[in-house]
């Protein structure tokens, strides 16, 4: 019996090693096939990429797509508790907001007395007054870092930002509201993103604009994030699609 167990164990180990070897060979074979396909049958890959770009543009015009996107965002963004812990552990972000973001983002601050501040020097002075208090977290999150999680939640092969097509975003405008007027102070940010793909001329081809909103209230442990609307651009011309396909193939 002991010998049989030893044989059985050795057989399992051999089978495990065999499976690993086969898996590695399959991965290499798949890679080689993709390379051969690219070299000898580029028309097939080009046709598939054109189809993907076309489907991408159709999706950006669909209300159903927007609903599906927001559902994905709700399930993937971190909880309010983990967001709070993230900013609580990073007190330096308050200074970062003041030194780096105050001059390049449109800020509106409502004081506890109900006064509206929009001038950067007035906002900085009010920051100095409130820094170190319990709601100092608002200053720490009132920068572009608060958009990081929702941006990552929008990246996937069938989402708003599609990496297989080298899709990317650039920020056209960001507005930040820090509101101390109510019992539960909060931050609300709106951002307009330009969704685009590159072409072989080094240009960015705009596909759509997206209005993104994030609301964060540490005292209520509440965070909300969604894409308010998607604004499709004109459909790409045949020449623009050709240039985009050429760039994707060259990148691969």
């Amino acid at each position: 019996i002991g010998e049989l167990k030893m044989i059985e164990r050795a057989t399992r180990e051999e089978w495990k090693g065999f499976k690993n070897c086969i898996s590695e060979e399959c991965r290499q074979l798949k890679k080689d096939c993709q390379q051969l396909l690219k070299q000898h049958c580029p028309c097939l890959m080009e046709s598939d990429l054109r189809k993907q770009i076309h489907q991408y543009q159709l999706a950006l015009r669909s209300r159903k797509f927007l609903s599906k996107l927001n559902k994905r965002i709700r399930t993937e963004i971190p909880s309010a508790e983990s967001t709070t812990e993230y900013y609580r552990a990073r007190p330096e972000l308050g200074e970062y907001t003041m030194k780096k973001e105050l001059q390049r983002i449109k800020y509106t601050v409502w004081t506890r007395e109900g006064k509206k501040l929009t001038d950067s020097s007035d906002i900085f002075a009010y920051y100095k007054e409130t820094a170190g208090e319990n709601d100092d977290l608002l200053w720490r999150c009132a920068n572009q870092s608060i958009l990081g999680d929702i941006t990552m939640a929008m990246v996937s092969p069938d989402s708003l930002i599609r990496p297989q097509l080298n899709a990317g975003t650039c920020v056209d405008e960001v507005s930040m509201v820090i509101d101390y007027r109510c019992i539960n102070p909060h931050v609300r940010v709106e951002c307009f993103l330009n969704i685009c793909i590159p072409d072989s001329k080094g240009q960015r081809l705009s596909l759509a604009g997206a209005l993104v909103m994030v609301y964060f209230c540490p005292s209520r442990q509440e965070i909300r994030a969604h894409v308010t609307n998607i604004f499709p651009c004109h459909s790409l011309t045949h020449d623009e699609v050709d240039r985009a396909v050429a760039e994707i193939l060259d990148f691969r």
Side-chain angles (χ1 to χ4, degrees):
I1 295 175
E3 290 181 0
L4 287 174
K5 287 185 176 180
M6 290 177 63
I7 293 172
E8 182 182 0
R9 188 180 301 113
T11 302
R12 283 201 303 267
E13 291 298 320
E14 289 177 1
W15 174 242
K16 183 179 179 181
F18 177 71
K19 284 200 301 181
N20 290 339
C21 181
I22 290 295
S23 297
E24 181 59 34
E25 288 182 359
C26 287
R27 281 194 292 269
Q28 186 59 45
L29 180 60
K30 182 179 179 181
K31 184 178 180 181
D32 292 343
C33 287
Q34 289 175 334
Q35 187 62 30
L36 286 172
L37 184 63
K38 179 178 178 180
Q39 291 175 353
H40 301 291
C41 304
C43 56
L44 296 180
M45 295 188 69
E46 290 174 9
S47 175
D48 180 61
L49 287 171
R50 286 193 182 90
K51 183 178 178 180
Q52 288 190 50
I53 292 172
H54 176 67
Q55 292 173 338
Y56 193 9
Q57 293 183 97
L58 289 179
L60 294 172
R61 288 166 166 75
S62 168
R63 300 300 300 179
K64 185 177 179 181
F65 172 77
L66 179 60
S67 176
K68 182 180 177 181
L69 174 64
N70 281 321
K71 183 178 180 180
R72 176 188 178 94
I73 290 170
R74 287 193 297 271
T75 59
E76 292 200 9
I77 62 169
S79 66
E81 291 81 2
S82 60
T83 303
T84 299
E85 289 305 312
Y86 176 87
Y87 287 110
R88 185 170 288 151
R90 292 165 174 80
E92 70 279 3
L93 285 178
E95 286 293 321
Y96 173 83
T97 297
M98 291 296 104
K99 293 180 179 179
K100 301 293 184 179
E101 303 281 56
L102 188 56
Q103 301 301 324
R104 60 189 179 193
I105 291 180
K106 179 182 177 182
Y107 282 89
T108 300
V109 176
W110 289 95
T111 70
R112 293 184 182 87
E113 297 75 28
K115 185 178 180 181
K116 182 180 179 181
L117 306 178
T118 56
D119 183 76
S120 59
S121 58
D122 293 335
I123 292 172
F124 183 74
Y126 191 68
Y127 163 75
K128 288 297 184 182
E129 286 182 30
T130 58
E133 299 181 9
N134 291 333
D135 46 17
D136 184 43
L137 287 176
L138 298 187
W139 298 108
R140 301 182 193 182
C141 72
N143 51 65
Q144 292 190 59
S145 67
I146 201 168
L147 294 166
D149 291 320
I150 187 174
T151 302
M152 291 303 299
M154 295 188 293
V155 178
S156 80
D158 62 348
S159 192
L160 186 63
I161 305 169
R162 304 192 177 186
Q164 78 274 22
L165 299 177
N166 296 342
T169 64
C170 58
V171 178
D172 280 354
E173 186 177 350
V174 181
S175 63
M176 195 86 60
V177 177
I178 307 174
D179 197 336
Y180 283 98
R181 290 175 295 178
C182 54
I183 298 174
N184 298 297
H186 59 268
V187 166
R188 186 178 74 254
V189 56
E190 284 190 337
C191 174
F192 193 84
L193 296 177
N194 184 28
I195 314 299
C196 50
I197 56 176
D199 73 359
S200 56
K201 292 184 176 180
Q203 300 174 345
R204 306 295 295 183
L205 304 174
S206 294
L207 300 180
L211 185 60
V212 177
M213 192 281 293
V214 179
Y215 169 94
F216 179 46
C217 180
S219 59
R220 293 178 59 184
Q221 288 295 277
E222 182 180 2
I223 186 167
R224 299 194 304 266
H226 65 269
V227 176
T228 305
N229 209 343
I230 296 174
F231 307 91
C233 299
H234 66 83
S235 295
L236 298 181
T237 66
H238 185 77
D239 180 61
E240 287 173 330
V241 172
D242 283 348
R243 299 201 315 261
V245 168
E247 175 64 16
I248 295 168
L249 291 173
D250 184 63
F251 181 79
R252 291 179 179 180

